[in-house]
Amino acid sequence: MTRNKIIEMQGIVKSYYLGTPNELEILHGIDLDVYEGEFLSIVGASGSGKSTLMNILGALDRPTQGHYYLDHLPMEHVKDDGLSAIRNKKIGFVFQTFNLIPRSTALKNVALPMLYGGFSRSERSRRAAELLQLVEMSGRSHHRPNELSGGQKQRVAIARAMANDPAIILADEPTGALDTHTGRMVMDIFHRLHQEQGKTIILITHNNELAQETQRTIKLKDGYIVDNSVNSVYQLEAYHESV
């Protein structure tokens, strides 16, 4: 079976302070393809360009040069208000810092993206409850973030990322603030979403052990891709068959 490319990047350059003596180029011509249903990791040390690349992948920022196609849509032709709609529909974000609304319950946090996705109130509540059950947080649905542990907050954040059934989950250091045991639980959820629901998952991490759990690892150094390799410990044959 041949899978379609869900992301295509061609010659992506990102610079800041354009036209000034202090102009700084962070990404230097990135070429990257991501396939539907792939579990991919992007690794690199601090300053390698991971966060900059993540922001472009997530349509949170635009490249200075190059072409980015998201599900075959040329993103350079999308206006700013259109980017917000694309993010809400196609991409679910999971961050190291959880980014939950402090005064809202877990259920309301998960339901919030659906408010902008056109779901009715009853649909939002029903789906939010289903997603909390998926991440084994049904018993904490009416708790606020300050009543939850770090791992519980991250599970709520993953449920929220799934709210509008996005094709892509973009996870930025999702286990970085968690202990080893709790981080393991979070990674297991990502594996389930990938294997059982076919989600395309892009994991941004500095942890090489976590990266080895994904099908393919992209290594960044000083704004360049220096390695792009299939991980032998993963299902190598299945990966080759899929792409």
Side-chain angles (χ1 to χ4, degrees):
M1 181 179 69
T2 300
R3 288 185 182 172
N4 294 322
K5 294 176 184 178
I6 195 167
I7 286 174
E8 295 180 72
M9 286 186 157
Q10 301 168 357
I12 295 294
V13 172
K14 182 62 182 179
S15 300
Y16 295 96
Y17 318 114
L18 293 178
T20 71
N22 298 321
E23 183 172 334
L24 181 63
E25 188 173 288
I26 304 297
L27 299 178
H28 314 292
I30 298 292
D31 295 325
L32 175 62
D33 293 334
V34 179
Y35 294 87
E36 287 182 348
E38 185 176 10
F39 195 169
L40 173 80
S41 55
I42 299 176
V43 301
S46 178
S48 63
K50 292 196 312 292
S51 296
T52 301
L53 181 58
M54 184 207 72
N55 287 337
I56 295 174
L57 284 166
L60 297 167
D61 199 2
R62 296 181 183 271
T64 307
Q65 298 176 36
H67 303 285
Y68 175 26
Y69 300 90
L70 177 59
D71 206 8
H72 308 292
L73 178 67
M75 298 298 283
E76 63 224 63
H77 296 156
V78 180
K79 295 182 179 180
D80 288 347
D81 55 351
L83 290 180
S84 177
I86 287 170
R87 288 194 300 269
N88 190 56
K89 182 178 180 181
K90 290 187 177 293
I91 305 171
F93 295 91
V94 181
F95 297 102
Q96 179 177 348
T97 52
F98 318 126
N99 288 9
L100 300 177
I101 298 173
R103 295 186 179 182
S104 292
T105 63
L107 189 73
K108 289 182 178 179
N109 266 284
V110 174
L112 182 62
M114 289 181 269
L115 180 64
Y116 306 104
F119 290 79
S120 68
R121 177 177 292 184
S122 61
E123 287 174 323
R124 295 197 301 268
S125 295
R126 178 189 59 78
R127 179 160 172 77
E130 288 177 353
L131 290 169
L132 285 173
Q133 183 176 17
L134 178 70
V135 298
E136 301 178 6
M137 283 294 292
S138 294
R140 296 288 188 271
S141 62
H142 297 291
H143 288 63
R144 291 179 172 81
N146 66 353
E147 300 171 307
L148 302 175
S149 68
Q152 290 171 337
K153 291 176 187 176
Q154 195 60 292
R155 281 187 276 166
V156 172
I158 293 171
R160 181 188 57 191
M162 292 287 293
N164 288 328
D165 195 22
I168 300 169
I169 296 177
L170 193 56
D172 183 22
E173 298 283 5
T175 65
L178 307 176
D179 61 59
T180 302
H181 174 72
T182 309
R184 176 71 268 150
M185 293 175 61
V186 167
M187 283 299 294
D188 287 345
I189 292 172
F190 284 126
H191 284 296
R192 291 209 322 269
L193 294 176
H194 172 240
Q195 294 167 1
E196 297 173 10
Q197 299 195 19
K199 296 299 179 184
T200 303
I201 301 178
I202 302 174
L203 174 70
I204 314 294
T205 183
H206 69 278
N207 188 321
N208 288 314
E209 288 186 13
L210 291 184
Q212 286 296 312
E213 293 188 25
T214 68
Q215 291 172 311
R216 182 162 58 110
T217 297
I218 304 295
K219 185 175 182 180
L220 286 181
K221 184 177 181 181
D222 299 329
Y224 295 94
I225 291 178
V226 295
D227 189 30
N228 180 350
S229 56
V230 174
N231 291 324
S232 59
V233 296
Y234 205 89
Q235 300 166 358
L236 188 58
E237 292 181 4
Y239 174 77
H240 281 308
E241 288 174 3
S242 70
V243 299

